[in-house]
Amino acid sequence: EPEVTQTPSHQVTQMGQEVILRCVPISNHLYFYWYRQILGQKVEFLVSFYNNEISEKSEIFDDQFSVERPDGSNFTLKIRSTKLEDSAMYFCASSEPRDGYEQYFGPGTRLTVT
Amino acid sequence: KQEVTQIPAALSVPEGENLVLNCSFTDSAIYNLQWFRQDPGKGLTSLLLIQSSQREQTSGRLNASLDKSSGRSTLYIAASQPGDSATYLCAVRDYYGGATNKLIFGTGTLLAVQP
């Protein structure tokens, strides 16, 4: 069964460093998303991406964040200068119209900023 | 602003019981609603998707209902098993003259099924 994959599963970085989280969405999906979940809190929407551009973003998704689809399979989230409060689980998801836009999530990347 | 609430926050039941998890949302203008399962430290597994025009969806021992006008959804789990132990999340996708992309999540119900 097709699934969303994410790498790495765990990333430890120092405050101020840049990180890139990688995702491979389900191959025939057209809509891509990033969410995050701070430990013990709700899952929060960050950004959605369609047709090679951002279609929606939350107030969390400030200038420190960017997304890219560098090729036909990968979808990345970059955090330019990490802060302690960026420590969270980051989930990638994808969807397509034929499925009623049901969103399928990856296993997540746990980002720890020290 | 859409708010999603789940009750109860935690639930412990003996194996074999039927149970109901509740989800409520403040704005009835939704495009769809999804129920997810999350195991500790893991990703989200989609269980059921209900479109705004539907009243219920079934998958195996799971049945989800949607009452959009009252802002409620329930997830019914029949004949619970220890393997059902996990956190169950509901999430809504808003609709304001056009569907937004984002899912708005509730805080979840932590379910423990005792053998």
Side-chain angles (χ1 to χ4, degrees):
Chain A
E1 186 173 325
E3 59 182 15
V4 177
T5 59
Q6 291 185 243
T7 54
S9 57
H10 190 190
Q11 173 99 42
V12 181
T13 190
Q14 288 189 326
M15 198 166 50
Q17 295 297 304
E18 175 183 288
V19 294
I20 297 176
L21 309 183
R22 291 183 167 78
C23 168
V24 178
I26 294 173
S27 63
N28 60 340
H29 283 189
L30 302 176
Y31 296 80
F32 314 116
Y33 315 86
W34 285 100
Y35 293 82
R36 78 173 186 188
Q37 186 178 33
I38 295 171
L39 188 64
Q41 297 187 23
K42 290 185 180 185
V43 177
E44 303 173 286
F45 169 79
L46 292 178
V47 66
S48 60
F49 191 87
Y50 169 70
N51 200 25
N52 283 318
E53 61 182 25
I54 290 173
S55 50
E56 188 172 3
K57 61 183 181 179
S58 71
E59 59 273 14
I60 303 168
F61 194 88
D62 61 21
D63 291 344
Q64 293 300 312
F65 292 88
S66 63
V67 289
E68 191 179 30
R69 187 155 165 82
D71 53 43
S73 59
N74 290 284
F75 179 51
T76 62
L77 174 69
K78 181 193 290 186
I79 309 175
R80 286 189 185 80
S81 178
T82 50
K83 309 183 187 79
L84 294 175
E85 54 265 35
D86 293 329
S87 295
M89 192 77 142
Y90 287 81
F91 294 110
C92 174
S94 66
S95 69
E96 61 152 352
R98 283 185 308 167
D99 268 350
Y101 298 98
E102 182 170 2
Q103 294 190 21
Y104 295 88
F105 281 67
T109 292
R110 179 167 299 285
L111 177 65
T112 302
V113 182
T114 62
Chain B
K1 181 185 170 186
Q2 181 75 266
E3 298 281 345
V4 181
T5 306
Q6 290 185 247
I7 295 173
L11 182 63
S12 180
V13 300
E15 182 176 3
E17 270 205 9
N18 302 324
L19 57 100
V20 174
L21 308 181
N22 296 292
C23 172
S24 60
F25 45 96
T26 53
D27 191 331
S28 61
I30 66 168
Y31 188 86
N32 61 35
L33 182 147
Q34 266 184 272
W35 281 95
F36 293 89
R37 169 186 173 134
Q38 185 176 29
D39 292 286
K42 304 290 186 184
L44 282 64
T45 300
S46 181
L47 298 172
L48 289 162
L49 169 74
I50 310 180
Q51 301 295 348
S52 62
S53 57
Q54 296 174 321
R55 300 276 304 183
E56 67 178 86
Q57 282 283 354
T58 297
S59 176
R61 293 183 294 110
L62 305 179
N63 175 279
S65 67
L66 175 64
D67 183 344
K68 216 174 62 158
S69 60
S70 67
R72 291 181 189 171
S73 176
T74 61
L75 179 67
Y76 175 84
I77 303 177
S80 58
Q81 303 169 358
D84 294 331
S85 298
T87 296
Y88 290 81
L89 302 173
C90 78
V92 301
R93 187 170 169 217
D94 281 345
Y95 187 92
Y96 290 108
T100 73
N101 291 305
K102 64 184 179 187
L103 289 176
I104 301 167
F105 282 81
T107 45
T109 294
L110 176 61
L111 173 66
V113 180
Q114 309 299 332

